[in-house]
Amino acid sequence: MSLDQSADQHYRDRVARVVAHIVAHPLAAHRLEDLAAIAHFSPFHFHRVYSSIAGETVAATVRRVRLALATRLLEQGGQSITQVAMEVGYDSPQAFTRAFSQFTGQSPRAFQRDMHRLILDSGAANAHANAHANAHAKAEQTLAVHIVERPAQRLHALRHQGPPSTIPHTQRRLYLQCGQRAVHRLGASCGDPQDVEGGSFRYYAAVVLPDAPSAADNGLERLDIPEGLYARHTLTGPYTRINAALAAIHTRWLPASGYEPDDRPTLEHYLNSPRNAAQADLRTDLLIPIRPTTSL
């Protein structure tokens, strides 16, 4: 690693400490002086350093982390829109609705309705057989899962450091480094997104490049994805819906499919981009690696 790369990584590590603090304390006041002290930067220059590394202002990070928390609360249910708004630091449900709609491309109520439509109803197993069959058919129609075979693929990627809510930082870094050359943009993940501290979750922001990486791409890791079968669902809508859709495929489609998860990364193939499409029009192929169920 060159001296310039080492210094750049040192800056990124210091900013990463600030992001981790914001994620750990989403509702704190987050005064600029306090955050600058965490990163050991001068308060007079911290906001410029942070914006250049993170690709957004501190205020934007705080807002996005709080709204990511709001998506989880809405997904869990049990609280009204007003209660969620107050819990994530908004003075009124109207202000929360405006911010949430900009963040996800849909209102809190519409988001909550769509999440409940995707998430498995734990009581469905006890319903009448005909009702259960109808619900299963509806799930199949909603999820629209297709089995596809993909060839081996070589990706070049940046490994994400930190909680899933800060993945956009890593995607932004990758875009600034080689986004213009990318043939395809993907995410590759292993493990449980809820187990960040346990270390089982790994996420890579990845691209397919038309040529071999250049000397300026030293920070990229090479990921060789083996060929194999995948359960593919094309998700339309904001990226905040990805985890719920993946959970629904695992719980509603996979058990009766005749397949089981395989030991390859789950892939997210981003078919368009927030740079040229509205949140509601984003399209993402979710690809869960599968293999035929083994008879015991």
Side-chain angles (χ1 to χ4, degrees):
M1 182 179 290
S2 70
L3 184 60
D4 286 345
Q5 290 173 326
S6 177
D8 179 70
Q9 187 59 49
H10 183 55
Y11 267 43
R12 292 189 183 282
D13 290 342
R14 291 159 73 179
V15 167
R17 290 201 295 269
V18 174
V19 174
H21 178 78
I22 293 172
V23 171
H25 309 281
L27 303 183
H30 296 307
R31 296 189 314 135
L32 197 65
E33 296 82 357
D34 298 334
L35 297 179
I38 291 172
H40 299 290
F41 283 119
S42 162
F44 299 102
H45 302 290
F46 171 68
H47 66 289
R48 294 186 184 278
V49 173
Y50 184 92
S51 296
S52 67
I53 297 295
E56 64 183 5
T57 64
V58 169
T61 298
V62 171
R63 181 168 57 251
R64 189 162 47 76
V65 168
R66 289 178 178 175
L67 291 170
L69 172 61
T71 65
R72 294 195 295 275
L73 295 175
L74 291 169
E75 187 177 319
Q76 292 167 5
Q79 295 188 76
S80 68
I81 303 299
T82 299
Q83 288 172 323
V84 172
M86 300 302 171
E87 186 158 342
V88 298
Y90 283 84
D91 295 331
S92 71
Q94 292 80 12
F96 171 65
T97 296
R98 284 195 298 272
F100 191 91
S101 298
Q102 291 174 353
F103 179 63
T104 67
Q106 58 187 159
S107 70
R109 195 170 304 282
F111 178 87
Q112 192 173 50
R113 182 192 62 232
D114 288 350
M115 290 304 95
H116 288 174
R117 186 177 298 157
L118 282 173
I119 296 171
L120 179 66
D121 181 359
S122 60
N126 298 322
H128 187 274
N130 288 339
H132 178 75
N134 290 339
H136 182 73
K138 183 178 180 180
E140 291 286 350
Q141 182 179 8
T142 302
L143 292 171
V145 177
H146 303 280
I147 298 170
V148 298
E149 186 167 5
R150 289 172 62 94
Q153 190 172 38
R154 174 163 295 175
L155 307 179
H156 289 88
L158 292 175
R159 180 170 178 178
H160 174 66
Q161 303 293 334
S165 59
T166 60
I167 283 174
H169 286 180
T170 304
Q171 288 284 5
R172 190 177 295 110
R173 282 180 54 203
L174 183 65
Y175 178 80
L176 292 174
Q177 183 167 339
C178 57
Q180 298 292 343
R181 293 179 288 138
V183 177
H184 299 289
R185 295 188 312 114
L186 299 98
S189 62
C190 305
D192 181 1
Q194 305 301 321
D195 187 34
V196 176
E197 293 185 1
S200 70
F201 179 67
R202 300 194 309 279
Y203 177 91
Y204 296 86
V207 291
V208 175
L209 297 176
D211 304 304
S214 65
D217 295 324
N218 286 341
L220 297 182
E221 298 183 38
R222 193 178 81 184
L223 295 180
D224 288 317
I225 307 297
E227 64 180 1
L229 294 176
Y230 290 84
R232 183 187 69 195
H233 168 64
T234 302
L235 176 69
T236 299
Y239 298 147
T240 49
R241 299 177 60 185
I242 287 176
N243 283 340
L246 289 173
I249 295 170
H250 277 98
T251 57
R252 299 174 73 169
W253 179 84
L254 196 58
S257 68
Y259 294 89
E260 60 187 33
D262 197 12
D263 297 329
R264 287 170 281 132
T266 295
L267 302 177
E268 301 165 9
H269 183 189
Y270 309 113
L271 304 178
N272 55 8
S273 167
R275 295 178 180 84
N276 51 41
Q279 290 283 335
D281 297 328
L282 292 175
R283 296 176 65 251
T284 309
D285 271 352
L286 306 181
L287 296 148
I288 297 176
I290 55 174
R291 62 191 177 204
T293 300
T294 304
S295 300
L296 298 179

